[in-house]
Amino acid sequence: MFPSIRRNTAPVASLSRRRFLAVAGIAAASVPILAACGSPAGGSSGSFGQPDVNPPGEFAGRTDVVFWSGWAGTNGEVLASLIRRFNESQNDIYVEIQQFQGYDGLTEKLSAGLQARQIPDLAIFSDVSWNKFFLSGHLEPMNGYFTDTWNAGTYHDRLFQEGVVRGEAFWVPFGRSTPLFYYNKEIFADAGLPDRAPETWDEFREWGNRITGRDYRGNRLMMRAYTGADDWYMQGLLWNFGGSISDGLDVTVDSAAAIAAAEFDRACVNDDRIGYLAQEMNTDFTNGLVATVCNSTGSLSGLTKGAEAAGFELGAGFLPVAQDTGVPTGGAGLGILKHADPERKAAAAKVIEFLAGDDAAAEWAVGTGYLPATKGATTSPIVTSRIAENPNYGLAVEQLDRARQPDAVRRYVSSTILEMRTVIQKLYTENADPAAALAAAATVIRRDTEDIRSRYEELVA
């Protein structure tokens, strides 16, 4: 345990599907309420307080920055190591990481903190949470903090632009990702398959029928473990089949192309029975229960370690395609809370600048598997040597040419993620009719889109 990290250790109860969906939607559903907490035009801290900080004695007397994170495991350890180095590198600022349970847990806590008027200075925002906090006026514009050595040009252009609204940066890349296709090389070889990811979803399905039912280390194999929370993956699958969740704020998730995508997943799970809804898909994969998973580049280091411990080699590749490519960017970035104390906001910017330095950004990328989000990290010796040792680490950068930002309603309309998770849960566990499930989701999303349309058109469009 590093001295600069404090964990939220509340126990987690097992969840029914209904309870799971309710919890998953809490964070998104609560964000629009936040506009009442402060004026988007106001830059002062007002009556907002900072959570308690407990600096060790050697760091006492500095400007304290509270940094809220949702990363645990390998990613949390790498972040804690970098923040410890920052604390030791200078004498003015002390950063304490306060850790919550994933992006959803962190977003829920931020929502509650804003309503209670007690906020961190710096936070991790997922790629689909920062937009909502921006829309409700709680993110600090960052251009004024940039320096000659840390600015827009520091970052990968495409990833940086995803956090820019009308020329102003509100969210900078850190922990950015795309989904990758992971496979067990030993299982593929035993089944006589090529040592690569399937190129198309039809090929995936064909290979799945060849693998499912085979014996592997005493287990009856299936092709893939799915997660009912992965609306991010579903965003890409819709694009694969020529569909989308929306075109701007015009909801298109009930189109014929979107229905075809949903039907593909329904059939894989319920007709072919080559996949199933898993509680912990990464664990099932490393335990040899399934041959493949689709997951974030941020899972690469953990999956590599898990495969090595289990005694097999991890394969990785681009996501398969159908009529089109479908790779959503994802992961997270860093944002400063607008209503934090001005001195602490300036200190938080120094922390972000440190994390964007070539060495820190490179170590974060190779330690986690997330994309090297800065230009310096991408070309650094530590990243290039890691890619040479393990080409899987270079796949996410290569796949960026196929990637794009998720559809607008997924980023700005609070109910979208919950509705899409409801759809995929129904597809996997209830063998639901895709057209009916998507039509029900579209009705809710269209209704809720109107609640933010004027604000979106005022600030974004």
Side-chain angles (χ1 to χ4, degrees):
M1 173 83 66
F2 294 108
S4 58
I5 185 167
R6 180 143 51 95
R7 289 179 171 84
N8 182 314
T9 56
V12 180
S14 61
L15 301 178
S16 65
R17 184 178 80 85
R18 185 180 298 274
R19 173 64 177 154
F20 166 82
L21 291 169
V23 171
I26 285 173
S30 62
V31 172
I33 300 172
L34 304 180
C37 295
S39 167
S44 65
S45 61
S47 59
F48 284 78
Q50 183 190 53
D52 291 340
V53 186
N54 299 299
E58 65 267 34
F59 301 125
R62 301 184 179 191
T63 299
D64 294 329
V65 171
V66 173
F67 183 1
W68 279 8
S69 167
W71 283 310
T74 298
N75 297 347
E77 292 169 4
V78 176
L79 179 61
S81 178
L82 291 172
I83 292 302
R84 180 180 64 172
R85 188 187 309 168
F86 173 81
N87 287 336
E88 294 172 347
S89 71
Q90 41 73 51
N91 299 313
D92 300 317
I93 302 166
Y94 170 73
V95 182
E96 179 175 280
I97 301 173
Q98 296 179 1
Q99 181 182 298
F100 302 92
Q101 295 178 346
Y103 295 148
D104 287 343
L106 174 57
T107 303
E108 179 184 348
K109 184 65 175 178
L110 280 166
S111 299
L114 281 160
Q115 293 180 61
R117 306 185 79 82
Q118 186 177 67
I119 55 174
D121 312 295
L122 174 65
I124 298 294
F125 292 87
S126 80
D127 67 309
V128 290
S129 69
W130 78 265
N131 315 75
K132 301 175 185 73
F133 286 97
F134 160 75
L135 209 62
S136 53
H138 295 287
L139 287 186
E140 176 80 355
M142 297 176 67
N143 288 18
Y145 297 99
F146 288 152
T147 67
D148 290 342
T149 56
W150 170 59
N151 50 55
T154 301
Y155 297 96
H156 186 288
D157 295 339
R158 177 179 298 182
L159 296 177
F160 178 80
Q161 285 302 317
E162 290 189 5
V164 173
V165 181
R166 295 184 177 179
E168 184 76 55
F170 290 87
W171 180 73
V172 295
F174 186 76
R176 296 306 311 275
S177 62
T178 60
L180 290 176
F181 187 94
Y182 296 103
Y183 64 97
N184 181 320
K185 289 194 172 193
E186 184 178 18
I187 292 174
F188 271 38
D190 289 348
L193 296 175
D195 182 11
R196 62 170 174 81
E199 294 176 352
T200 67
W201 284 115
D202 284 343
E203 190 171 52
F204 162 84
R205 193 170 180 181
E206 176 192 343
W207 291 5
N209 282 296
R210 290 172 61 178
I211 283 175
T212 297
R214 295 178 64 88
D215 178 79
Y216 178 68
R217 302 184 181 185
N219 298 319
R220 181 188 178 277
L221 276 171
M222 296 186 78
M223 179 62 168
R224 177 178 167 190
Y226 292 78
T227 169
D230 201 354
D231 62 287
W232 183 45
Y233 151 76
M234 181 59 72
Q235 168 74 94
L237 190 70
L238 296 178
W239 292 338
N240 278 168
F241 284 79
S244 59
I245 303 177
S246 73
D247 179 5
L249 291 188
D250 295 330
V251 177
T252 56
V253 75
D254 51 352
S255 69
I259 293 168
E263 168 59 20
F264 176 83
D265 258 11
R266 185 211 61 77
C268 286
V269 173
N270 291 287
D271 295 348
D272 295 4
R273 298 186 182 276
I274 62 175
Y276 65 97
L277 183 63
Q279 288 189 333
E280 295 289 345
M281 66 176 181
N282 285 0
T283 300
D284 286 4
F285 176 70
T286 55
N287 285 343
L289 301 179
V290 294
T292 73
V293 290
C294 292
N295 209 339
S296 167
T297 55
S299 298
L300 176 56
S301 291
L303 286 173
T304 300
K305 292 176 183 177
E308 290 172 351
F312 68 86
E313 187 177 356
L314 178 70
F318 291 177
L319 291 181
V321 303
Q323 288 93 334
D324 198 355
T325 58
V327 181
T329 55
L334 297 168
I336 298 171
L337 275 295
K338 188 172 200 172
H339 299 290
D341 175 82
E343 182 181 358
R344 296 199 302 269
K345 289 192 289 189
K350 292 296 182 184
V351 180
I352 300 175
E353 181 176 8
F354 172 85
L355 293 173
D358 290 353
D359 290 345
E363 289 183 26
W364 171 250
V366 300
T368 62
Y370 280 117
L371 285 162
T374 69
K375 296 170 183 174
T378 303
T379 59
S380 69
I382 187 174
V383 169
T384 54
S385 63
R386 175 59 65 89
I387 292 172
E389 294 168 4
N390 184 345
N392 288 346
Y393 281 86
L395 285 170
V397 177
E398 296 173 19
Q399 193 178 225
L400 270 179
D401 289 339
R402 301 183 175 195
R404 52 177 155 146
Q405 192 173 22
D407 294 337
V409 296
R410 185 170 184 266
R411 291 180 282 126
Y412 283 99
V413 180
S414 297
S415 60
T416 302
I417 290 175
L418 176 58
E419 290 302 315
M420 293 307 298
R421 290 179 181 180
T422 301
V423 168
I424 59 181
Q425 286 268 324
K426 287 180 176 179
L427 294 175
Y428 300 160
T429 65
E430 300 175 12
N431 198 20
D433 172 51
L438 289 172
T443 297
V444 175
I445 298 169
R446 285 194 180 100
R447 179 198 68 201
D448 293 348
T449 295
E450 296 312 307
D451 291 340
I452 62 98
R453 185 180 292 277
S454 62
R455 188 84 174 142
Y456 176 88
E457 291 175 351
E458 174 190 354
L459 298 177
V460 181

